Amino acid sequence: MSLSKPNTLRSGPDERGRFGIFGGRFVAETLMPLVLDLDKAYAAAKADPAFQAEIDFMQRDYVGRPSPLYLAERLTEHFNGAKIYLKRDELNHTGSHKINNCLGQILLARRMGKTRIIAETGAGQHGVATATVCARFGLPCVIYMGATDIERQKPNVFRMKLLGAEVIPVTSGTGTLKDAMNEALRDWVTNVENTYYLIGTVAGPHPYPAMVRDFQSVIGSETKVQMMEREGRLPDSIVACIGGGSNAMGLFHPFLDDTSVKIYGVEAAGKGIETGEHCASLKGGTPGVLHGNRTYLLQDDDGQIKDGHSISAGLDYPGIGPEHAWLHETGRAEYVSATDKEALEAFQLCSKLEGIIPALEPAHALAFVSKIAPTLPKDHLMVMNMCGRGDKDVFSVADYLGVKL
Amino acid sequence: MTTRLDKRFAALKEEGRAAFVTFITGGDPDFDTSFEVLKGLPAAGADVIELGMPFTDPMADGPAIQASSQRALRNGATMKKTLELVRRFRDGDNETPIVLMGYYNPIYHMGVETFLTRACEAGVDGLIVVDLPPEEDDELCEPAMRAGLNFIRLATPTTDDRRLPAVLANTSGFVYYVSITGITGSASPEARNVADAVARIKRHTPLPVAVGFGIKTPAQAADIARTADGAVVGSAIVDAIAKELDSEGRAKPGAAERVLGFVRSLADGVHKARAAAAE
């Protein structure tokens, strides 16, 4: 008897780590055996109910999950269109969705017997989440962070240090997230025996994009259940911001086969896509290979990687997770963008109307919501992932608004 | 098919000495100086030349080679110009093998078939593409082999006996043994560990084995040359180029000649290694 192949968009990647042509394992030979080991270890952990039980327990008692699905009445009233729900992942311990992934990976690293954790960080949210789980499990932690980002995210740098992590400023290249990732890869190549590289987004060589997505999918799975409880049906649209794209992938993945649900990813358009100063890899980039995977990249005519620009350090990455590249090409998700200015407006609007200071990253998602929600009928159910809180951003926002603190 | 690399390694075997393999980045610090150094390498004792294709994000390289890429890019280096360096070199030298070394993205962006056609026309003999493991062979390795280019693979201390056959399967020209787990230009390898590793690789392949990563002095080069078929020096030469820049980052007069003088001292170490050992 042969089973017919299920008709699903959720079965990727294939055994080579590909989503269509995207993804893969484009790494130096030194790392290849490690990447293969990780693949095996993750497959074994995934099949072990004890591993999932450990994650569930920590998600509940340490992270504070499930995060609420909150009806944003005043935003809904203000936009006078779609009914807006916020998935409150900013209420997680450490203040963003990043902890979901860090928890899964640190438990995996422990299973693998690794004794040292390294990570890269842009805005510092992933660095803080990594330093947090390292403190919790007593593992030494080294965070690579671009010198430029250290300057604009000082509170998070101090947080990481309080948590016991060593923060190494990266000055090579242009001193931003992509360079921090290069340095982390160099560290991993040098310390292959004991070190676990805890990547913070749905990028990198296979199995990282799939693994990080799986750990973040708790966002979408909870949303589904909560929406059924609240409204008795699925949402009509879901929205999330995208740098590397981990919070978005986590929200989107459980909904990929629910074709009635419209999916929007919001990239950072910086000063405007036409100015060239942006981080919109899908809207303003082309396919290429970087950091272990094929995906859309910001690059010049010679295939050299260009620096992204965004008011938000967390979206400031010249690539995007390969599964997003695939969802973009297949048309299952629609990718749009919001500028620095639009995000700043949404940042202030949300603070004033809902008493929620969003991080600049989800402020981009909200900026798109503010454009589309007024055009939609009142029975349209829209969920936006509030993936981080804005405490870390208040200084730089004050600066942008010309307010002296 | 016998390539320039095959011929060169066969001739050296005949002579009983190891190959001195030099690395410079194409266009570092600028096109003209880079060409002067490139052109002078064979006379300075280089048996095989690795020419780096500049890339903004060289993840497996250390600070020296990353800085060389940035210098070259700042001064207008492109893939086309790197190939132009090779074409001009071939006008005066039809014997010394040239291997292009770098990362996949600039090649992928140009288009694999276009790149291979242009590389062959320019007179390139082989490719080392750091971020293409055997798992991705259909991307570039297989098309390159069909185009008549050698595809040289890196083997590392983490490449165990189980994995070696896969790594060696589509490798030709020579095998590049990365003597340490780390980035280019970092810690120097222990000669004894290297000898064991070379012997291990040779149990799996008849190809010559060249050793690189962390070789900085003539004495270290000589050590490696006693046990391997070739010694690769990169970061040390690139550092010598960096020292020849004025405060505005331009090459000082006579820069190429002095860099080639340093290359000559390294070459002497490699070429005399086995003679000295025999005494």
Side-chain angles (χ1 to χ4, degrees):
Chain A
M1 191 185 86
S2 73
L3 290 169
S4 64
K5 208 175 160 197
N7 187 15
T8 174
L9 296 169
R10 301 182 63 225
S11 62
D14 65 17
E15 68 285 355
R16 294 181 66 187
R18 303 275 184 106
F19 303 90
I21 67 161
F22 301 104
R25 281 182 290 227
F26 296 89
V27 294
E29 176 58 27
T30 313
L31 291 182
M32 201 58 211
L34 282 78
V35 165
L36 293 172
D37 269 359
L38 178 63
D39 195 15
K40 249 190 258 158
Y42 177 55
K46 207 173 161 182
D48 180 357
F51 181 67
Q52 193 54 51
E54 212 180 349
I55 292 180
D56 291 347
F57 173 78
M58 289 297 290
Q59 292 281 26
R60 193 192 69 200
D61 287 8
Y62 191 65
V63 176
R65 297 208 76 93
S67 69
L69 182 70
Y70 164 72
L71 173 61
E73 282 184 67
R74 294 200 67 207
L75 281 172
T76 300
E77 207 174 289
H78 179 79
F79 295 140
N80 194 26
K83 197 169 176 184
I84 313 292
Y85 280 91
L86 302 177
K87 177 63 174 163
R88 300 287 305 274
D89 254 52
E90 102 279 12
L91 291 176
N92 293 338
H93 180 43
T94 75
S96 81
H97 70 289
K98 293 291 186 185
I99 191 88
N100 302 330
N101 166 49
C102 289
L103 196 57
Q105 287 200 59
I106 198 102
L107 293 174
L108 181 61
R110 274 159 57 90
R111 276 175 77 104
M112 292 174 76
K114 300 291 182 182
T115 55
R116 176 176 177 266
I117 306 293
I118 59 170
E120 83 294 333
T121 195
Q125 292 302 94
H126 175 57
V128 167
T130 304
T132 298
V133 295
C134 286
R136 169 61 184 78
F137 289 102
L139 290 171
C141 174
V142 174
I143 305 288
Y144 290 93
M145 187 167 184
T148 316
D149 291 335
I150 285 183
E151 197 42 50
R152 56 180 178 175
Q153 300 290 341
K154 282 179 194 155
N156 272 346
V157 175
F158 183 61
R159 247 170 234 143
M160 286 183 264
K161 289 182 179 167
L162 273 178
L163 292 160
E166 184 186 354
V167 181
I168 301 187
V170 176
T171 52
S172 64
T174 47
T176 55
L177 179 55
K178 81 176 172 71
D179 302 291
M181 201 151 175
N182 290 336
E183 282 307 315
L185 282 164
R186 288 176 181 135
D187 180 314
W188 202 24
V189 159
T190 310
N191 302 295
V192 291
E193 288 299 328
N194 64 347
T195 297
Y196 183 93
Y197 180 16
L198 208 161
I199 292 186
T201 192
V202 284
H206 177 66
Y208 283 103
M211 180 171 70
V212 176
R213 172 202 72 200
D214 292 348
F215 291 141
Q216 292 293 3
S217 288
V218 65
I219 301 171
S221 303
E222 286 177 5
T223 301
K224 229 174 177 175
V225 173
Q226 291 165 324
M227 204 51 152
M228 290 307 287
E229 284 169 6
R230 297 292 294 272
E231 298 277 355
R233 65 179 181 93
L234 292 177
D236 297 298
S237 59
I238 54 179
V239 184
C241 65
I242 296 191
S246 70
N247 93 81
M249 216 49 247
L251 176 65
F252 296 172
H253 196 256
F255 289 100
L256 289 182
D257 288 335
D258 301 305
T259 48
S260 68
V261 180
K262 191 105 173 82
I263 299 177
Y264 295 102
V266 186
E267 296 189 291
K271 295 179 182 169
I273 290 183
E274 68 289 348
T275 66
E277 291 187 61
H278 61 83
C279 288
S281 313
L282 290 175
K283 287 261 147 190
T286 50
V289 173
L290 181 72
H291 293 151
N293 64 114
R294 176 166 24 229
T295 187
Y296 274 72
L297 300 173
L298 302 179
Q299 52 185 330
D300 69 13
D301 293 343
D302 193 45
Q304 306 295 340
I305 308 305
K306 288 202 290 196
D307 274 306
H309 164 84
S310 170
I311 187 174
S312 146
L315 302 180
D316 198 349
Y317 179 67
I320 182 169
E323 194 165 8
H324 285 297
W326 177 71
L327 290 173
H328 166 68
E329 291 218 334
T330 57
R332 175 62 187 100
E334 188 178 333
Y335 293 87
V336 294
S337 64
T339 63
D340 288 351
K341 199 168 156 279
E342 292 165 335
L344 267 174
E345 281 163 16
F347 180 94
Q348 297 169 83
L349 184 72
C350 188
S351 303
K352 281 185 185 141
L353 287 185
E354 292 292 347
I356 296 172
I357 301 177
L360 280 170
E361 292 79 13
H364 284 73
L366 187 60
F368 173 73
V369 170
S370 75
K371 278 185 250 180
I372 188 171
T375 70
L376 295 167
K378 297 219 158 118
D379 61 353
H380 183 107
L381 303 178
M382 178 176 269
V383 177
M384 188 206 107
N385 194 21
M386 181 58 78
C387 62
R389 58 175 172 245
D391 310 37
K392 69 183 174 62
D393 293 316
V394 292
F395 296 101
S396 54
V397 168
D399 211 34
Y400 273 100
L401 297 177
V403 177
K404 261 220 158 358
L405 293 182
Chain B
M1 189 178 54
T2 312
T3 65
R4 282 192 197 95
L5 276 167
D6 299 334
K7 281 190 211 151
R8 179 53 54 98
F9 275 103
L12 290 170
K13 195 173 181 187
E14 198 87 336
E15 287 176 46
R17 66 178 180 85
F20 176 44
V21 184
T22 58
F23 173 94
I24 59 168
T25 297
D28 170 32
D30 58 74
F31 185 89
D32 292 336
T33 311
S34 188
F35 181 63
E36 251 190 278
V37 174
L38 179 65
K39 193 176 62 174
L41 283 174
D47 300 302
V48 174
I49 295 170
E50 288 177 8
L51 187 64
M53 299 174 277
F55 184 48
T56 37
D57 294 78
M59 289 147 302
D61 285 296
I65 290 181
Q66 175 158 27
S68 77
S69 255
Q70 284 177 329
R71 287 194 296 271
L73 291 171
R74 223 172 12 243
N75 287 318
T78 59
M79 182 66 87
K80 275 188 195 162
K81 287 185 186 166
T82 304
L83 293 169
E84 175 63 15
L85 284 170
V86 180
R87 198 191 59 72
R88 287 204 204 171
F89 176 87
R90 280 277 167 258
D91 287 343
D93 184 322
N94 202 24
E95 314 264 301
T96 309
I98 293 195
V99 176
L100 292 182
M101 183 165 182
Y103 295 79
Y104 185 38
N105 196 54
I107 296 171
Y108 180 72
H109 194 77
M110 178 178 262
V112 165
E113 289 307 326
T114 308
F115 168 78
L116 289 173
T117 306
R118 291 182 185 173
C120 289
E121 279 168 8
V124 170
D125 301 290
L127 303 174
I128 301 175
V129 183
V130 181
D131 51 356
L132 284 178
E135 280 76 1
E136 307 289 353
D137 265 0
D138 54 343
E139 294 282 335
L140 179 66
C141 173
E142 287 163 17
M145 285 164 56
R146 284 194 294 273
L149 293 175
N150 288 129
F151 200 84
I152 295 117
R153 193 100 60 190
L154 306 180
T156 72
T158 59
T159 315
D160 59 19
D161 280 323
R162 231 169 354 134
R163 189 165 163 78
L164 254 182
V167 169
L168 296 171
N170 285 333
T171 301
S172 61
F174 65 96
V175 180
Y176 186 147
Y177 179 65
V178 174
S179 53
I180 50 163
T181 55
I183 51 177
T184 50
S186 51
S188 297
E190 293 282 337
R192 197 165 35 112
N193 296 349
V194 170
D196 289 348
V198 170
R200 181 168 72 92
I201 294 169
K202 281 185 168 288
R203 281 198 294 276
H204 289 268
T205 177
L207 289 170
V209 179
V211 175
F213 277 46
I215 304 173
K216 292 167 190 151
T217 66
Q220 286 169 342
D223 269 350
I224 296 296
R226 277 185 207 105
T227 51
D229 302 302
V232 188
V233 182
S235 298
I237 298 175
V238 163
D239 269 338
I241 293 176
K243 283 191 195 109
E244 291 296 337
L245 304 177
D246 66 19
S247 57
E248 278 160 49
R250 287 177 308 220
K252 297 175 197 161
E257 207 29 67
R258 284 188 297 275
V259 170
L260 290 167
F262 173 64
V263 172
R264 209 167 286 119
S265 69
L266 291 162
D268 287 345
V270 173
H271 293 158
K272 286 177 188 153
R274 295 199 193 162
E279 275 167 14

